[in-house]
Each structure stands twice: as C-alpha cells, then as structure tokens.
Amino acid sequence: MSFFQQEPTVPDCRPPLASPSRPRHALPPGACDAHCHVFGPGDVFPYAEGRSYTPPDAPYAAMAALHAHLGIERAVVVQANCHGSDHSALLDALAQSGGRYRGVALLGADATAASVRRLHDGGVRAARFNFVPHLGGAPDPAVFDHVVALIAPLGWHLCLHVDGAMLPELLPRLLALPVPFVVDHMGRLKAADGLDSPAMRALLTLADVPQAWVKVSGIDRIASGKRPFAEGIPFVQALVNAMPERCLWGTDWPHPNVAGDMPDDGELVDTFFQACPDAAQRQLVLVDNPARLYGFN
C-alpha cells in the first residue's frame, strides 16, 4: 500500500518511500514518533517565501497512515523550515490527531505571548532552533533569549538542531538555560568519527544534566548513508544506556534533504530494537519519556 502521493509542486528534495516495510517487531502500546514533519499540501498550506528547500507534499493523511502501518499511536510533529513561521499545517495536523500528536514550533522575533498561547492551546509544547548551516546557521542571540522568555511560563522546552562539531562550544550556554532542552538527531555527529569524538563526549555529558534530553533519531544522518545505517547503532546504544529516562526516538519522516539512501521507516523501527534490546529501556524511550515531556495522557 502506498502512503505517499506527490502533489503538483516543484520539489528539490526526494519523497519518502511510497511503500515502507512493516516492522518485524511490534511497538509497545502508546509508542511515540517523537520527530516527524508534515509538508503541505502546498495548495492548502503554501510553503514559505525564501525557504531553503521545497519538499514534495507530505500531508497529515500520509503521516497518519504511516504511523498506523508501523504501530505508532502518538507523535511529535516538528514545524519545518519550508513552512517558516506559518504554523497552519502543523496546527491542522494536531487538530486532526484528536490529541494523539503534539507540536514543536519555529518562533522568531515577531513571536508574542498571545501567539505562543494560541500555539499552546493547539497542542504545541516546544520551540525549535536550527543551528545547522544549511538551514541558516546559528540564530540571533537576542531572538533566542526572546523566545526562551516567552515559552518558559508555559512549561515548554527547546528542541535544538545542531551540528555535532559545535556542541562542545554550545554546551555552557545550554547548561544555563531556564527551560529543558532536547538535542535533535544525536547532534548530527558523524559515526565515522567514533564513539570518542568530541561531539559524542559532549552528548554523553548531558547524562548528568537533568534538563537535557537527546533524540536518538536521524540514524541515517550520522551513518554512511547506506541502509540499514548500522554504523549508528553503537551511538544509539551508548546514549540510551547513559540516559535512558531522557532519550526519545523518532522516524524523521518524510526525511527531508536526505543525501544517501532514503530510509525505510519499518527498518528504522527494527534498527532501534537492535540498538535497544532491553524491553524496559524501550518502554522508557518509546512511551514513558515522550509522554512525560510532551504531556500525553
């Protein structure tokens, strides 16, 4: 069955697999995909002017069908750069989910207490900042501080999309934050650099920081680019073992701007089971941790 139909857009990145495999392993009840995106459809929710990429449409219906296929009951939908500060597609997806999905927003200097409250009422629970060069590089420090001040009263956290090489330099600033923070995609470190790389050492120090979380998502982004991305497994294992109560897992569907093999989301589930063979740890990462951080009932 195909879960993806390309809309008449002018995309410059590839679509996800039309027919992902079914996982060999059954996910536990309440399992959460803690990092995924919704794109468009562009004729209903136009893409932002000045965006850094144009994706093929990946609407809510396709995302929900994928989750049903994989056995995922909950999700965290992350606002994509291609939609900019217009959160209409995100809020529509959260409303259609009937409370099963939460959201992560992209906020800028124009964010206000009232606009953040509207997002909160729609199911958003975090703000994301991109530090990676291909999405514009590090944010303006004044904007960063402005957003932190707005989200702190609502109990939100930050999601940080960083390049692993900058983690050691960023760490002192992160440790001073008044809100919890999540490092997306294992800091986009490079598996080829080894488990003893400065980026991995910086990530592992977060085990001693109560407000720090890490997403063991994006295994394809840290590995060589060839399925099933086995080079990333030791990094997932090390992080889950170091901080099992503050790790999250996600598919990163529909995998925007992937340079290597397009991930098979069924394989991603099975790869996580291989990296995390302990059922108690899987329960934490897949169910309990996202429920606690994102406020699922």
Side-chain angles (χ1 to χ4, degrees):
M1 176 181 180
S2 174
F3 300 126
F4 182 86
Q5 293 183 338
Q6 185 169 331
E7 299 293 333
T9 61
V10 185
D12 57 15
C13 58
R14 292 178 292 156
L17 296 183
S19 300
S21 64
R22 189 176 297 278
R24 297 190 308 272
H25 299 86
L27 290 167
C32 179
D33 177 354
H35 195 104
C36 52
H37 308 281
V38 61
F39 296 154
D43 58 351
V44 179
F45 304 112
Y47 298 113
E49 294 185 8
R51 58 193 177 274
S52 59
Y53 65 93
T54 301
D57 287 348
Y60 169 79
M63 180 171 60
L66 174 80
H67 287 155
H69 176 71
L70 299 179
I72 289 170
E73 296 181 12
R74 298 168 173 167
V76 179
V77 186
V78 179
Q79 174 77 352
N81 174 273
C82 60
H83 277 297
S85 60
D86 182 350
H87 294 88
S88 300
L90 172 65
L91 291 172
D92 177 75
L94 302 186
Q96 289 194 66
S97 78
R100 295 186 303 111
Y101 291 3
R102 295 285 188 263
V104 176
L106 288 180
L107 302 178
D110 59 346
T112 66
S115 67
V116 172
R117 168 55 71 175
R118 286 193 293 271
L119 291 170
H120 183 86
D121 291 344
V124 176
R125 293 297 180 267
R128 191 189 203 204
F129 280 100
N130 291 301
F131 287 78
V132 293
H134 74 275
L135 294 176
D140 182 324
V143 173
F144 187 88
D145 293 341
H146 169 67
V147 169
V148 170
L150 287 175
I151 70 172
L154 294 174
W156 286 21
H157 60 274
L158 290 176
C159 289
L160 305 174
H161 190 196
V162 302
D163 186 308
M166 63 179 63
L167 266 176
E169 179 183 348
L170 277 176
L171 204 51
R173 186 176 184 187
L174 300 182
L175 298 182
L177 285 172
V179 297
F181 64 92
V182 180
V183 176
D184 288 348
H185 302 329
M186 297 180 275
R188 293 184 70 113
L189 51 78
K190 293 180 175 61
D193 292 340
L195 287 167
D196 196 41
S197 69
M200 186 60 177
R201 290 200 302 269
L203 272 180
L204 289 173
T205 64
L206 299 182
D208 298 322
V209 181
Q211 74 268 29
W213 299 65
V214 173
K215 286 181 191 171
V216 290
S217 56
I219 192 170
D220 59 294
R221 299 187 184 276
I222 75 166
S224 66
K226 297 293 183 182
R227 287 169 46 193
F229 316 115
E231 301 96 323
I233 288 176
F235 297 83
V236 175
Q237 290 174 327
L239 288 164
V240 171
N241 287 335
M243 44 195 304
E245 295 184 345
R246 283 179 285 116
C247 278
L248 307 161
W249 173 87
T251 62
D252 195 27
W253 187 89
H255 312 289
N257 301 307
V258 166
D261 289 350
M262 182 57 62
D264 178 316
D265 294 283
E267 278 185 1
L268 291 180
V269 171
D270 291 330
T271 298
F272 177 70
F273 271 72
Q274 184 179 351
C276 186
D278 183 271
Q281 287 186 340
R282 288 199 305 271
Q283 175 71 22
L284 287 170
V285 176
L286 296 172
V287 183
D288 299 346
N289 295 349
R292 178 160 50 98
L293 185 61
Y294 287 95
F296 290 111
N297 294 327

